[in-house]
Amino acid sequence: MPWGPLIFLTIVNTLNFFDRYIVQSVEPMLKEEFALSNSQSGMLGAAFVLGYFVFSPLFGYLGATRDRRWLMGIGLFAWSLSTAMTGMAQGFISFVIARVLVGVGEASFGSIVPGYLKSRIPDSIRLNNALSIFFVAIPVGSALGYIAGGEMAAVWGWRSVFLAAAVPGVALSLGFVRMAPELRVAAAGTAAPQALGASGPLRKLFEGVSGFLSGTRQVFARPDLRYTIFGYILNTFALNGVAMFVVRHGEGLGMATDKVTATFGSILVVTGFLGTLGGGFLASKFAARRSNQIHGLLVFISTTTLLGAPCLGAAFLARSPEWFFGACFVAEIALFAGVAPLNSVLVQRSPRGLETLTQGVTIFLINLFGAAAGMVVIGWVTDKLQRLGSVGSEADALALALQVTTLAMILSGLLWCIAAWKNRSQAKEG
């Protein structure tokens, strides 16, 4: 296992998720300063997703033919500068634009890394273990965003958080030039036909679009991969819907903002580390005992998700901070356990040579119909419940709206059950 690149990429991924979740940690301050509705607050988080999902397929496609190290390094530099721009935003519109640009930069990283690691680690179990380490950055970076973001904002204001977050990214972007190139594998069956009468830039554009569409068709031609991606969409809907409004939900339970961010951030660190790393290695052991390792990984993630979903629902029924965070702790252990094996399934079931394209298309879908939809829908449902007058306070409306995420988690687990069944059927037929 290439430990040097793996550790470096994990550090960058930690910064990646730190940058994403500092918006959530200061959302109440932004809502007050910019005089936002709940729907607009959801758009502050969804703005990042817009740039991320639109450009992820492009970077996924470029990652199949270009030097992935340079794509990742330039993206890191770009998103760090955009993070600094976020801290200088003077209103809702300028804030949204800056966050869209952050998403564009981060798209070059998220869609490329799994394919890069697969090229360096061909063994499926060792790859799953490597991804378990890499994805520990999700809870750790997210938790740092909540904790550091909340603490710094309470002392120096929310702008200081974004300006400080930009500094390490600029420095780390230089590290990609020292990484070893990966072993390239040619994509199977994606050569684009030549356009009759087309030449120069027009021909290149046609071939690029044709190759992208051909590769995407190959990705969705695999039923188990299709259902894995569909489940991932609903999973992302739930997690981002919760993340966007968990601070305000904690305030509704009577806690101060900095107390919510510190407590939830601490839970993220512990559950994320135990769930992602422990769950990833446990999934490897579970899958290694089976002749069909992909089927084993899918069974594992569907089981952990279905076990965690009821705890998520119980968390938003709780009326005290202690019960709320206790239920969140159990739910997150179960939910984080599936992160590494899920991404391992995606990269291992990708058509040969189309790993980065598969990641790019997946990121596009989970962020458009998952992350962005989750944040906006929860805010919209909260506003709708208040206008209907069917609930008491805004806090009650938000708690009820957040139960939509529980339903999404249950459906994602069921879709992964179908993916496991489809994978086993394909294996028997093959």
Side-chain angles (χ1 to χ4, degrees):
M1 185 180 297
W3 286 104
L6 177 59
I7 292 171
F8 175 73
L9 291 171
T10 302
I11 292 172
V12 175
N13 202 30
T14 302
L15 180 63
N16 177 3
F17 280 88
F18 176 83
D19 280 357
R20 292 192 201 187
Y21 281 89
I22 50 181
V23 173
Q24 283 82 339
S25 71
V26 299
E27 182 269 335
M29 297 180 186
L30 296 171
K31 184 175 186 292
E32 181 179 356
E33 181 169 332
F34 296 149
L36 306 176
S37 67
N38 289 302
S39 297
Q40 288 176 314
S41 284
M43 291 177 189
L44 293 181
F48 158 84
V49 175
L50 178 62
Y52 192 57
F53 83 74
V54 168
F55 282 83
S56 288
L58 172 62
F59 283 113
Y61 179 69
L62 292 175
T65 56
R66 303 291 191 274
D67 191 324
R68 296 170 183 172
R69 299 169 301 168
W70 284 100
L71 290 172
M72 291 187 286
I74 292 171
L76 173 55
F77 185 81
W79 98 55
S80 299
L81 292 183
S82 301
T83 298
M85 288 174 54
T86 307
M88 295 182 282
Q90 297 302 308
F92 174 73
I93 298 299
S94 57
F95 189 98
V96 166
I97 292 172
R99 292 304 292 173
V100 169
L101 294 175
V102 172
V104 173
E106 292 194 15
S108 68
F109 184 76
S111 59
I112 290 175
V113 173
Y116 174 85
L117 288 175
K118 182 183 178 182
S119 72
R120 302 290 304 275
I121 310 171
D123 179 75
S124 59
I125 297 300
R126 290 178 64 219
L127 175 61
N128 187 66
N129 290 338
L131 290 173
S132 300
I133 296 171
F134 175 73
F135 283 110
V136 164
I138 294 179
V140 173
S142 304
L144 288 173
Y146 276 109
I147 297 172
E151 294 293 333
M152 288 180 65
V155 178
W156 293 296
W158 65 266
R159 297 181 187 278
S160 65
V161 186
F162 294 97
L163 295 173
V167 176
V170 173
L172 287 170
S173 63
L174 302 175
F176 283 97
V177 300
R178 298 186 59 85
M179 289 178 60
E182 73 273 30
L183 301 174
R184 308 299 296 217
V185 178
T190 59
Q194 295 183 3
L196 294 177
S199 62
L202 183 59
R203 176 176 172 177
K204 289 182 179 179
L205 176 62
F206 179 86
E207 291 178 348
V209 172
S210 181
F212 174 81
L213 294 176
S214 174
T216 302
R217 283 195 295 270
Q218 289 187 62
V219 170
F220 284 95
R222 301 188 173 191
D224 58 341
L225 190 54
R226 239 187 358 253
Y227 282 100
T228 299
I229 294 172
F230 293 159
Y232 205 172
I233 292 171
L234 289 168
N235 177 275
T236 307
F237 177 101
L239 293 180
N240 282 270
V242 171
M244 187 65 206
F245 292 102
V246 70
V247 175
R248 192 126 53 82
H249 180 72
E251 290 178 337
L253 295 175
M255 299 180 69
T257 301
D258 57 345
K259 181 68 173 176
V260 179
T261 56
T263 304
F264 191 71
S266 300
I267 289 174
L268 274 178
V269 170
V270 176
T271 59
F273 186 83
L274 293 177
T276 306
L277 194 60
F281 282 104
L282 184 61
S284 291
K285 289 183 177 296
F286 180 79
R289 296 193 182 101
R290 295 171 173 257
S291 57
N292 185 341
Q293 296 176 348
I294 300 299
H295 178 263
L297 293 175
L298 285 166
V299 169
F300 183 87
I301 62 173
S302 62
T303 301
T304 56
T305 301
L306 291 173
L307 289 174
C311 297
L312 185 65
F316 297 117
L317 292 175
R319 294 299 178 183
S320 70
E322 293 77 16
W323 281 104
F324 169 67
F325 285 118
C328 280
F329 187 94
V330 178
E332 288 174 17
I333 285 281
L335 299 179
F336 277 123
V339 171
L342 170 60
N343 283 275
S344 183
V345 169
L346 287 174
V347 75
Q348 292 185 62
R349 285 297 296 148
S350 300
R352 189 186 66 182
L354 296 178
E355 294 84 4
T356 57
L357 178 61
T358 303
Q359 288 291 327
V361 171
T362 300
I363 288 171
F364 176 89
L365 294 173
I366 67 174
N367 282 281
L368 175 59
F369 299 108
M375 289 182 276
V376 174
V377 167
I378 300 304
W380 179 83
V381 171
T382 303
D383 286 338
K384 193 72 172 177
L385 290 172
Q386 283 188 276
R387 284 195 295 269
L388 292 173
S390 55
V391 294
S393 64
E394 180 180 10
D396 292 332
L398 179 60
L400 184 58
L402 283 167
Q403 289 293 359
V404 176
T405 64
T406 304
L407 176 62
M409 289 305 309
I410 294 172
L411 292 175
S412 69
L414 293 175
L415 284 171
W416 288 328
C417 285
I418 296 173
W421 175 67
K422 292 286 186 181
N423 179 265
R424 185 170 59 182
S425 299
Q426 289 172 241
K428 288 181 179 179
E429 292 172 3

